[in-house]
Amino acid sequence: MVLSLTNTAPDFEAQFKALLSGKREVSEDVDQIVRDILEDVRARGDEAVLEYTERFDRLQAASMAELKVTSAEIEAAVREVPAQTLDALQLAHDRIYAHHSRQVPKDDRYTDPIGVELGSLWTPVEAVGIYVPGGSASYPSSVLMNAVPAKVAGVERIVMVVPSPDGVLNPLVLAAAKVAGVSEIYRIGGAQAVAALAYGTGTIAPVAKIVGPGNAFVAAAKRRVFGTVGIDMIAGPSEVLIIADEGNNADWLAADLLAQAEHDTAAQSILITTSSELADQVEAAVESQLKMLPREEVARASWQDFGAIILVNSLDEAMPLSNRIAPEHLELAVADPEALLKKVRNAGAVFMGHHTPEAIGDYIGGSNHVLPTARSARFSSGLSVLEFVKRTSILKCNSDNLRALGPAAIALGEAEGLSAHARSVSIRLNI
Amino acid sequence: MVLSLTNTAPDFEAQFKALLSGKREVSEDVDQIVRDILEDVRARGDEAVLEYTERFDRLQAASMAELKVTSAEIEAAVREVPAQTLDALQLAHDRIYAHHSRQVPKDDRYTDPIGVELGSLWTPVEAVGIYVPGGSASYPSSVLMNAVPAKVAGVERIVMVVPSPDGVLNPLVLAAAKVAGVSEIYRIGGAQAVAALAYGTGTIAPVAKIVGPGNAFVAAAKRRVFGTVGIDMIAGPSEVLIIADEGNNADWLAADLLAQAEHDTAAQSILITTSSELADQVEAAVESQLKMLPREEVARASWQDFGAIILVNSLDEAMPLSNRIAPEHLELAVADPEALLKKVRNAGAVFMGHHTPEAIGDYIGGSNHVLPTARSARFSSGLSVLEFVKRTSILKCNSDNLRALGPAAIALGEAEGLSAHARSVSIRLNI
C-alpha cells in the first residue's frame, strides 16, 4: 500500500509536513576516511592514487600513465557500441548542445548617465573535472549532461575520471566522452580521483571545478575540496511529482512513476490528482507494471517507502503543495499545462502535457538532467552553461566622474572606520 | 620589508608558487560547537536562540518578539545618521540597483525544428536571510550589496539578522536596511541566527537561502545548513592586485594597497609593475602613509606578512601571473587598460585606469563588492541577481515529436539498464 492523502482530511497538514521532511538518505559517515585519502594524495600524488586504485578497484598499474585511457581504447570501445545506440548518443549530444547554446551569457559593457563605464564580462572556467561513477550507475547520458555544457561554455580542458572496478569500464561511457569532446580520461575513482583533480598530481594537472555524481565518498570529497576548486551541487536521490487531472491514461502515469522509482530505493514518486478514480487506477497500474520490471525490487521499495498519492479538490489546490515539495521533476499531465505552469515557483524541470514523459528529459529532450533534488529547487537550478563560466565586473571612472562620486565614497569609508579606503579616493581629488 | 620578486630571477617560479599557496587564514575548529548549536535551535527554536543570545551577546530578552527590531527603532536610527552619510547611502543604493537591474536573466521559450517546445523560466527565491556581522565589521555597505540584488531579483521576504553585543547596534546598518527595503530585522547573530533562518523558529519563518559574511562560527554554520537552504560563497580575507606601468602616481597606488591592507591582518596587497623606480617609490610611499592611518597596525601587519611587489619586463608578462593569482580585485593602472583587459581570464572585478581606486567599487560604483577571494575567481563570480533566482527547464512534446525522439530515448534507457525509463516512452508509442 502506498501512502494516500486527501487535502481535506483534518490531519493533512501534519501528514504533508512529514512527507516533506522525511529523510530518504542514510548518510554514511565516511568523512574521516575521505580526509585521510585527500591529504595522502595531496602529499604523495600519483603514487597514492595508484595505491588506492589497487586497494579499492582491485586494479594494478605500474604508473598513472597506464591508467590514462588511450585513444585506441576509446576507438575500440566505440566499435563495441551498437550503431543504433551510437546514433542515439549523437542525437542526444546534438540536442543538448543546441539547447545549452542558448544559455551562454552575454557580456555587458555600458556607460552610465554620468560617464562611468561599467560592465560584466564572462569567461569560461579554464579546466573542469567530470566524475563518472563506475559499475551499474555508469551512465553515458550523465557524461553528455556534464560535459556538453562545459564544452558550450568554452572550457578548454575537460578531464573525466571513471573508476573501473576489476578493470571493467562501460564502453558506452567512453563513447559518450568521445562524442562530447572530453580531453583526457583516467580510470580512477573515489576520493582519490577527486583529490587528483583538485590538487593535481605529477601526471594530472589540477582543474578549477569538479562536477558529476558519485557515492558517499565522492560527495564527501567534493565537499572537502570545495574552495580549492568549485563543485556542482551534491545530488540526492531522484524524485518526480506528477500533477494529473481526470483526463489521463493511468498506465502512462504509472510508467512515469516507476521510471523514477527504478533509479534507487530512496527515489520518490508522488502523484497529485483531482480524480479519486484515476488515483485508484494508477495505484493498480503501478502494481501490475511493477511485476514486469527487471528492477522490480528497487522500484517496489521506493514506491512503498516513499511514494504517495495525494487527492485534491482542484488543480489550484495542487500548485501550493507542488511549490512546497519543490520537485526535481514536475509532470503537468493536465489538459491545460500552460495555465498551471504560470503558478510554478519551485521546480527543477517541468514536463508539459501527456506526451512528455520525464525520461525524454533524461536523454534526448535537450535540457539538462542534472537537477536540484531534496527540495533544493527552492534555491537552486539545474546544471547549465552558467556553472562553467564566471563573471568579472568592470568599473572605469575618469577624473570628472570620480570627482562626482568621490565624496559619497569618502563619507561611507569614514562612516565605516576605513580611513585608508576614504584616503585612496581623496588623494586623487586633492581633498 | 615587503616581499620583492623579479620574474627573471631563477627562483621566481618557486617563490611565486609559495605566494599563491600561502595560507592567510587560521581556520578555527568550531565545527563541533556549531553542530550542537544548530541541533539545539532546530529542536527548541526561539527558546534556544534566546539562551545563546544571552550567553554570547550578553543580551537578555523575554521573547524573540523583543529581539525583532521595530520600525520605531529603525526610524530612530535613521535620525541618528548624518544627512551627508544618509545621502551617500541612498546614492550607493540607487547606483547598485541600476547596475544589478541589468543582470536579471530573461525567460526563454522556443520551439525547435521538429516542434518540441523548450524553455528556461526564472523565478525569484521566495525568502532570503542576510547575515550582518556585529561590532566593528558591521558595514552598511555590505547590507546594500547583499540586499539590493535580492530586491532586484524580486525576492518577497528579506530577513536580516545582526548581533548586538551588549545591546549595541550600528545605526548605519539599520539605515542601510531601510534604504534597501529589508522586510524583517532580528538582533541575533552567530550560529544560532543561521540556524533560526535555516530551520525557522516559532517567531521566524524559515528562508530558502542565506547570504552575507560572518566569523568562523557563522561560516561553519552556513556550511552545515547548506542543502537545507542555499548559501553564498564563504568569503576569505580580501585582496587586491595592482598592475602598473611607469606612468603612475606612487602615492595613489600606495593608498590603494593600504585600503586593502587595512581590512584585516590577513588581507593581501600585491603590486606588479614594469618599473623598478615605481616599485621603490610605492614601497616608500606605503611606509610613509602607514604612519598616518588610524588602522596602521592592521595595515602594517597585512603588508609585511602578505604584501608583495613583483617586477616584470613587460605588461604582457604580468597577465599570466595575474590570471594565476585570480585576484578578487584587479586594478589596471596602466595607460591602456582596455588592451590588458582582453587578457584577463580570472578576476572578481577589474578597476580600469588611474581614476578608479578599488574603494569606489566597495561603495558607490554600482557593481557588487561581494567578490570571490582566495583564488576562487578561477571558478566563481561576485554576488549578483543570479544568486537570488533559479531556473526551471521546460519541455513539451506532442505525439508527433515524441514519436520522432522516442526510439533514441528507448535505446539509451535500455542501454543504461533502466527499462522503466524506456517503458514510459514506449507505452505512449504503443511499441
Side-chain angles (χ1 to χ4, degrees):
Chain A
M1 274 283 289
V2 72
L3 176 70
S4 290
L5 306 177
T6 306
N7 76 336
T8 50
D11 62 345
F12 175 75
E13 180 60 24
Q15 288 201 280
F16 187 71
K17 271 193 178 147
L19 183 69
L20 279 187
S21 59
K23 271 233 184 302
R24 289 186 281 139
E25 262 185 308
V26 184
S27 63
E28 290 175 65
D29 194 10
V30 299
D31 201 47
Q32 188 62 44
I33 301 165
V34 164
R35 199 184 68 175
D36 294 345
I37 295 174
L38 295 182
E39 278 174 19
D40 197 19
V41 173
R42 188 172 206 167
R44 295 196 300 130
D46 284 336
E47 200 185 334
V49 177
L50 286 169
E51 285 174 22
Y52 290 116
T53 302
E54 180 169 353
R55 191 191 310 171
F56 297 131
D57 297 338
R58 297 159 304 280
L59 182 67
Q60 257 191 308
S63 71
M64 273 297 288
E66 271 185 36
L67 293 179
K68 185 167 182 175
V69 179
T70 64
S71 20
E73 288 173 293
I74 297 170
E75 294 307 329
V78 169
R79 281 192 299 272
E80 269 187 65
V81 177
Q84 194 201 8
T85 314
L86 214 53
D87 288 348
L89 272 180
Q90 189 64 52
L91 178 63
H93 169 273
D94 295 350
R95 292 188 56 86
I96 296 165
Y97 200 98
H99 178 71
H100 286 76
S101 294
R102 302 176 69 100
Q103 296 174 343
V104 181
K106 286 183 183 50
D107 288 347
D108 182 30
R109 283 291 297 269
Y110 67 101
T111 303
D112 79 4
I114 65 164
V116 178
E117 293 177 49
L118 296 103
S120 297
L121 302 185
W122 294 90
T123 44
V125 174
E126 293 178 299
V128 165
I130 296 182
Y131 192 94
V132 177
S136 66
S138 196
Y139 295 138
S141 59
S142 291
V143 175
L144 296 181
M145 293 294 179
N146 282 283
V148 174
K151 203 80 189 169
V152 171
V155 174
E156 281 165 21
R157 181 170 162 255
I158 302 176
V159 187
M160 186 172 113
V161 293
V162 51
S164 63
D166 300 306
V168 179
L169 208 53
N170 183 350
L172 278 166
V173 160
L174 295 186
K178 195 199 168 193
V179 167
V182 166
S183 329
E184 297 163 35
I185 308 175
Y186 299 91
R187 57 184 104 229
I188 59 176
Q192 60 274 20
V194 174
L197 291 171
Y199 306 131
T201 70
T203 307
I204 305 176
V207 301
K209 183 154 189 168
I210 302 175
V211 300
N215 63 15
F217 290 86
V218 173
K222 280 169 66 182
R223 275 186 194 274
R224 280 200 165 263
V225 298
F226 176 55
T228 301
V229 295
I231 61 167
D232 61 349
M233 61 189 126
I234 308 286
S238 199
E239 65 221 13
V240 69
L241 169 62
I242 303 179
I243 297 179
D245 56 20
E246 65 283 1
N248 267 281
N249 180 321
D251 287 326
W252 294 9
L253 300 188
D256 295 356
L257 292 167
L258 289 173
Q260 206 56 227
E262 78 170 336
H263 264 296
D264 189 343
T265 54
Q268 183 166 52
S269 303
I270 301 177
L271 171 69
I272 299 184
T273 180
T274 50
S275 160
S276 64
E277 200 186 339
L278 183 74
D280 293 342
Q281 289 169 349
V282 169
E283 197 174 349
V286 165
E287 198 48 49
S288 80
Q289 289 183 31
L290 265 171
K291 295 178 186 120
M292 297 188 273
L293 291 184
R295 293 172 65 85
E296 173 183 357
E297 208 176 325
V298 170
R300 187 180 294 280
S302 156
W303 178 242
Q304 286 185 344
D305 293 346
F306 302 113
I309 297 178
I310 302 174
L311 203 61
V312 293
N313 279 319
S314 71
L315 291 175
D316 278 350
E317 290 173 14
M319 293 316 295
L321 301 179
S322 173
N323 286 329
R324 285 172 69 188
I325 292 171
E328 182 191 12
H329 306 108
L330 173 61
E331 287 190 14
L332 299 179
V334 297
D336 185 5
E338 295 289 348
L340 281 199
L341 180 63
K342 289 191 178 70
K343 296 176 181 170
V344 171
R345 285 296 300 265
N346 302 318
V350 178
F351 303 85
M352 308 276 286
H354 302 297
H355 299 280
T356 320
E358 186 273 319
I360 285 292
D362 282 342
Y363 294 120
I364 205 87
S367 49
N368 210 290
H369 80 196
V370 180
L371 293 165
T373 57
R375 305 190 61 218
S376 64
R378 291 173 300 125
F379 54 81
S380 63
S381 312
L383 195 69
S384 77
V385 169
L386 289 175
E387 271 68 56
F388 298 101
V389 293
K390 60 257 179 346
R391 191 176 44 80
T392 299
S393 297
I394 312 298
L395 204 54
K396 188 181 193 175
C397 294
N398 57 31
S399 57
D400 287 343
N401 48 48
L402 181 64
R403 195 160 295 281
L405 294 181
I410 294 167
L412 291 171
E414 294 293 358
E416 292 189 350
L418 296 173
S419 324
H421 280 61
R423 212 169 172 283
S424 71
V425 178
S426 61
I427 198 171
R428 286 172 164 86
L429 303 177
N430 289 313
I431 54 177
Chain B
M1 274 287 285
V2 72
L3 176 69
S4 290
L5 306 177
T6 306
N7 77 334
T8 49
D11 61 346
F12 175 76
E13 180 61 24
Q15 289 201 279
F16 187 72
K17 270 194 179 147
L19 183 70
L20 279 186
S21 59
K23 270 232 184 306
R24 290 185 282 138
E25 264 185 309
V26 184
S27 62
E28 291 175 65
D29 194 10
V30 299
D31 201 47
Q32 189 61 45
I33 302 165
V34 164
R35 198 185 68 175
D36 294 345
I37 296 173
L38 295 182
E39 278 174 17
D40 197 19
V41 172
R42 187 172 207 165
R44 296 194 302 129
D46 284 337
E47 202 186 331
V49 177
L50 286 168
E51 285 175 20
Y52 289 116
T53 301
E54 182 171 349
R55 191 193 308 171
F56 296 130
D57 297 339
R58 299 160 302 280
L59 182 67
Q60 256 192 308
S63 71
M64 273 297 287
E66 270 184 37
L67 292 180
K68 185 166 180 173
V69 179
T70 65
S71 22
E73 287 173 293
I74 297 169
E75 294 307 330
V78 169
R79 281 192 300 272
E80 268 187 65
V81 177
Q84 195 201 6
T85 313
L86 214 51
D87 289 349
L89 272 180
Q90 188 64 52
L91 178 62
H93 168 273
D94 296 350
R95 291 187 57 87
I96 297 164
Y97 199 98
H99 178 71
H100 286 76
S101 294
R102 302 176 70 100
Q103 296 173 343
V104 181
K106 285 182 184 52
D107 289 346
D108 182 30
R109 285 290 296 271
Y110 67 100
T111 304
D112 79 4
I114 63 163
V116 178
E117 293 178 48
L118 297 102
S120 297
L121 302 184
W122 294 90
T123 45
V125 174
E126 292 178 301
V128 165
I130 295 181
Y131 192 94
V132 178
S136 65
S138 195
Y139 295 138
S141 59
S142 291
V143 174
L144 296 181
M145 292 295 179
N146 282 282
V148 173
K151 204 78 189 171
V152 171
V155 174
E156 283 165 20
R157 182 170 161 256
I158 302 176
V159 187
M160 186 172 113
V161 293
V162 52
S164 62
D166 300 307
V168 178
L169 209 53
N170 183 351
L172 278 166
V173 160
L174 296 186
K178 196 198 166 194
V179 166
V182 167
S183 328
E184 299 163 34
I185 307 175
Y186 299 91
R187 57 183 105 231
I188 59 176
Q192 60 273 20
V194 174
L197 290 170
Y199 306 133
T201 70
T203 307
I204 305 175
V207 301
K209 182 153 189 169
I210 301 175
V211 300
N215 62 17
F217 290 86
V218 173
K222 280 168 67 183
R223 274 186 194 274
R224 281 202 164 261
V225 299
F226 175 56
T228 301
V229 296
I231 61 167
D232 61 350
M233 63 191 124
I234 308 285
S238 199
E239 66 221 13
V240 71
L241 168 63
I242 304 179
I243 297 178
D245 56 21
E246 64 284 0
N248 268 281
N249 180 322
D251 287 326
W252 295 9
L253 300 188
D256 295 357
L257 293 166
L258 289 173
Q260 206 57 227
E262 77 169 337
H263 264 297
D264 189 344
T265 54
Q268 183 165 51
S269 302
I270 301 176
L271 171 69
I272 299 184
T273 179
T274 49
S275 160
S276 64
E277 199 185 341
L278 183 74
D280 292 342
Q281 289 169 349
V282 170
E283 197 174 349
V286 164
E287 199 48 51
S288 80
Q289 289 184 30
L290 264 171
K291 295 178 184 121
M292 298 189 272
L293 291 185
R295 294 170 66 85
E296 174 184 355
E297 208 175 328
V298 170
R300 188 179 293 279
S302 156
W303 179 243
Q304 286 185 343
D305 294 345
F306 302 112
I309 296 178
I310 301 174
L311 202 62
V312 294
N313 279 320
S314 71
L315 291 175
D316 277 351
E317 290 172 15
M319 293 317 295
L321 301 179
S322 174
N323 287 329
R324 286 173 69 187
I325 292 171
E328 181 190 12
H329 305 109
L330 173 61
E331 287 190 13
L332 299 179
V334 296
D336 185 5
E338 295 290 347
L340 281 199
L341 181 62
K342 290 191 178 73
K343 297 177 182 170
V344 172
R345 285 297 300 264
N346 303 318
V350 178
F351 303 85
M352 309 275 286
H354 302 296
H355 298 281
T356 319
E358 187 273 318
I360 286 291
D362 281 342
Y363 294 121
I364 204 87
S367 49
N368 210 290
H369 79 197
V370 180
L371 293 165
T373 58
R375 307 188 62 216
S376 63
R378 291 173 300 125
F379 53 82
S380 62
S381 313
L383 196 68
S384 77
V385 169
L386 290 175
E387 270 69 56
F388 299 102
V389 293
K390 59 260 178 346
R391 190 176 45 81
T392 299
S393 297
I394 312 297
L395 205 54
K396 190 182 191 175
C397 293
N398 59 30
S399 58
D400 287 343
N401 48 50
L402 181 64
R403 194 160 297 280
L405 294 181
I410 293 168
L412 291 171
E414 294 293 357
E416 292 188 350
L418 296 173
S419 324
H421 280 61
R423 210 168 175 284
S424 71
V425 178
S426 62
I427 198 172
R428 285 171 164 88
L429 303 177
N430 288 314
I431 55 177

